[in-house]
Amino acid sequence: MAEVIAGFGVSHIPALGVAMEGDGTGPAAAVFEKFAPVREWVRSLELDTVIVIYNDHASSFSLELLPTFAIGAAEAYAPADEGYGARNVPVAQGDADLSWHLIESVIPEGFDLAVAQKLDVDHGLTVPLTVLFGAPPEWPVKIVPLEVNVVQQPTPSAQRCLDLGAAIGRAIASFPGGTRVGVVGTGGMSHQLQGRRAGHINSEFDRMFLTDIVDNPRRLAKLSNTDLIQEAGSEGAELVMWLVMRGALGDNVTEVHSAYHVPVSNTAAGLVAIDNRTATR
Ligand code: DHB
Ligand code: FE
């Protein structure tokens, strides 16, 4: 059966993608230094497929049509044109068999995902891939994208996100074959890009979140959407996507790497890497 090998929480700030594509010198050197060790660990895991829980930024969806949860079930996902042309990164190859297995597993359990058989993916998905894999000519893994609405209220609750992740974790454990799966929760950390609190950063909250996402996700799942917006900012509330990732892992996981850098662009950037091979369920 397939196995969840590791989980990652990764910011998706566009400027972070630029920093990680570079040679590690210049103004980006500090964040490069903090984040680069994870790439080595990721390479050693020999993952086959990565499920990326991300939000779309009005690239493939819009306020006219915005699923609460949507899963990609395509053979490939092209980088989206966000207004300046598509990011110069590879087309992500899909793992459509795993996508359909997840769809057929979690919808009957009560998680009514929308299914996208065509989906262009924006920085919400591609920047975390750059952080984890650098700038190769082809991504070394297949992808299953899972979009979450963190843009238009009401967004799904932290508890619902953790529960969806748990359903995904159970589904992976019943997928025939030996697929080595990574799960990536994207977004955050604290930031607010608009309104009177634009520039809001809450390092104390972020550091608590980085610790609890590993050891105490059930406590994070008790946060309301209002709590999340107050603490992490209106855009920082996208951290609920890390809870989908965490739900797919078991208890007694091992933190391998945790890093935090303020600011990248207007945002607190975080990265956590979790080994699920020590987990119990
Ligand atoms: C920034 C952060 C985001 O989460 C995003 O989607 C776009 C931009 C930023 O800090 O620049
Ligand atoms: Fe964002």
Side-chain angles (χ1 to χ4, degrees):
M1 292 297 165
E3 188 187 352
V4 179
I5 304 290
F8 303 88
V10 189
S11 296
H12 65 216
I13 311 157
L16 187 56
V18 176
M20 302 309 283
E21 278 166 6
D23 62 1
T25 61
V31 66
F32 188 92
E33 206 171 292
K34 287 180 191 172
F35 284 17
V38 170
R39 284 191 209 171
E40 237 164 88
W41 188 64
V42 175
R43 211 174 303 127
S44 76
L45 298 176
E46 300 188 324
L47 300 174
D48 299 305
T49 297
V50 168
I51 301 171
V52 187
I53 297 99
Y54 81 109
N55 67 298
D56 177 88
H57 299 75
S59 302
S60 284
F61 300 108
S62 72
L63 294 183
E64 292 176 353
L65 177 60
L66 187 51
T68 300
F69 296 113
I71 187 168
E75 296 294 340
Y77 305 94
D81 182 346
E82 301 184 45
Y84 302 94
R87 250 191 107 208
N88 185 22
V89 292
V91 170
Q93 300 305 310
D95 187 340
D97 289 343
L98 180 57
S99 289
W100 282 109
H101 176 77
L102 295 177
I103 292 160
E104 286 164 6
S105 303
V106 308
I107 291 180
E109 278 201 45
F111 296 92
D112 303 326
L113 311 180
V115 176
Q117 298 197 55
K118 180 178 181 334
L119 186 63
D120 290 347
V121 289
D122 68 14
H123 70 268
L125 183 138
T126 64
V127 167
L129 293 185
T130 301
V131 172
L132 295 177
F133 300 112
E138 302 295 337
W139 299 122
V141 290
K142 291 182 179 176
I143 299 296
V144 173
L146 184 95
E147 174 270 352
V148 180
N149 165 36
V150 292
V151 173
Q152 176 162 261
Q153 296 296 329
T155 55
S157 69
Q159 184 65 58
R160 182 70 172 161
C161 287
L162 189 69
D163 293 346
L164 171 60
I168 288 171
R170 288 191 293 275
I172 293 167
S174 69
F175 184 56
T179 309
R180 295 170 67 79
V181 179
V183 186
V184 182
T186 69
M189 300 195 85
S190 60
H191 64 298
Q192 176 144 340
L193 300 178
Q194 39 81 38
R196 267 181 302 178
R197 279 207 319 170
H200 171 80
I201 301 267
N202 184 347
S203 296
E204 199 179 321
F205 176 82
D206 288 337
R207 290 191 184 282
M208 179 279 293
F209 196 98
L210 274 170
T211 305
D212 277 7
I213 196 69
V214 180
D215 296 329
N216 208 343
R218 290 178 187 91
R219 184 160 69 198
L220 295 180
K222 290 195 171 66
L223 292 167
S224 69
N225 287 348
T226 307
D227 294 335
L228 277 162
I229 291 168
Q230 277 174 347
E231 296 290 343
S234 54
E235 281 72 41
E238 64 197 6
L239 279 168
V240 288
M241 295 183 291
W242 291 33
L243 282 165
V244 181
M245 171 279 291
R246 184 63 186 86
L249 313 185
D251 290 330
N252 302 314
V253 294
T254 306
E255 179 187 297
V256 174
H257 196 82
S258 177
Y260 186 66
H261 186 85
V262 178
V264 175
S265 175
N266 302 295
T267 299
L271 175 60
V272 68
I274 305 170
D275 194 333
N276 193 51
R277 291 170 296 185
T278 59
T280 52
R281 257 204 187 275

